[in-house]
Amino acid sequence: MGDGDATAAHACPLVIIDLWGVRPRHVPHAAARMALDRRHLRRTTGLVFARSLGTGRGRTFGPRDADVLRWAVLTVWASAREAASFERSAMIGAWSAIAYERWRAELHPLSSRGRWARQRPFGDPVTQPAGLARPAGPIAAITRARLSLRRAPAFWRSVPPVAEDLTRCEGLRFAVGIGEAPLGLQGTFSVWDDADALRRFAYGSPAHTDVVRRTFEHGWYKEELFARFAVLRTHGTVNGCDPLARSGRTPSSADR
């Protein structure tokens, strides 16, 4: 797997996030896959960037927020052909053997600011084809931050009001917390009706704008990233529901 520098990310056409739901008896197997997958991903042709991720309910981002029944894999591909080939890999087969459901979203980067592990996996900024410059359909967002552990308690105290605003926000289809470790590394993945819905939350939620201001003032993050994506296609379910179906409810990891 390459280093995922800005040049490679600009050329990358496809970002995929997979969410795997497992039963309690398979939690040890899923946790073991977090280590096994890293070795497998490093040897995968055409993979520009990848992360195996735990998930959480996105209420506090502390250790008690973790959802051990849902796991995620984020991959960034040099071509759609190589991404399709990966579907036949031993890693996908291993997850399919222990998961009772899977939701897969294929995404095209629209904009990206910041870094992830000193890399720019989605470009910074991303160059968009003209046809995707103003997408009319659903928009996905990924946020990711490396916390300053000394300042983490103040950050965690600020999260619940933002999480409450998020769950009540009009236009939100789906949201889940994502993270590489129990402490210090966390983020969110969310899907919205359109770009306007995401913008209303980002700039119209008093709790969210307050956290953004305090983050800048107090230096809560050592590293941060925010990226937006056009949702190309999705497949599968989360807690038995299609997150993009207009069912009048927003499925999340907190539903179980």
Side-chain angles (χ1 to χ4, degrees):
M1 185 171 64
D3 290 337
D5 61 17
T7 301
H10 277 297
C12 173
L14 189 60
V15 176
I16 295 176
I17 188 162
D18 281 297
L19 292 175
W20 301 91
V22 302
R23 304 294 186 193
R25 67 180 182 275
H26 288 308
V27 168
H29 301 89
R33 290 240 54 87
M34 293 287 282
L36 296 171
D37 288 352
R38 291 188 186 101
R39 294 198 295 270
H40 188 98
L41 291 167
R42 281 196 294 267
R43 298 193 297 266
T44 299
T45 301
L47 194 55
V48 176
F49 182 85
R51 285 295 185 272
S52 296
L53 303 166
T55 75
R57 294 168 178 83
R59 301 294 174 84
T60 66
F61 290 108
R64 289 180 294 181
D65 205 38
D67 181 359
V68 297
L69 301 182
R70 194 162 307 281
W71 304 79
V73 179
L74 172 72
T75 50
V76 183
W77 295 93
S79 77
R81 177 182 57 81
E82 286 161 323
S85 177
F86 188 66
E87 282 295 294
R88 300 187 294 274
S89 70
M91 177 178 148
I92 295 297
W95 274 108
S96 298
I98 63 173
Y100 73 91
E101 70 172 357
R102 176 191 186 187
W103 187 67
R104 170 189 174 95
E106 298 183 14
L107 314 169
H108 176 85
L110 297 174
S111 64
S112 180
R113 174 177 53 81
R115 293 175 181 266
W116 189 325
R118 299 185 295 277
Q119 300 179 45
R120 295 172 177 170
F122 314 121
D124 195 2
V126 170
T127 300
Q128 315 173 165
L132 286 173
R134 298 178 63 86
I139 294 290
I142 290 176
T143 67
R144 184 265 183 188
R146 179 187 294 272
L147 274 179
S148 169
L149 293 182
R150 183 166 59 90
R151 296 180 172 89
F155 170 80
W156 288 328
R157 288 193 297 269
S158 75
V159 168
V162 179
E164 186 66 23
D165 275 6
L166 177 65
T167 58
R168 295 182 303 188
C169 192
E170 182 181 356
L172 177 68
R173 300 282 191 95
F174 173 70
V176 64
I178 54 174
E180 300 157 83
L183 292 171
L185 297 168
Q186 72 265 304
T188 60
F189 172 75
S190 57
V191 183
W192 302 79
D193 281 346
D194 50 37
D196 288 339
L198 174 57
R199 192 176 300 111
R200 283 194 299 270
F201 171 72
Y203 300 107
S205 162
H208 184 260
T209 54
D210 180 61
V211 166
V212 171
R213 176 186 59 79
R214 294 170 66 193
T215 295
F216 178 77
E217 291 177 353
H218 301 295
W220 284 341
Y221 301 154
K222 291 184 175 179
E223 181 182 63
E224 62 180 315
L225 176 143
F226 175 78
R228 293 187 309 122
F229 307 83
V231 180
L232 302 178
R233 61 190 63 85
T234 66
H235 178 74
T237 62
V238 177
N239 299 325
C241 301
D242 176 1
L244 267 62
R246 294 185 178 276
S247 61
R249 64 187 294 275
T250 303
S252 72
S253 288
D255 287 341
R256 277 190 301 273

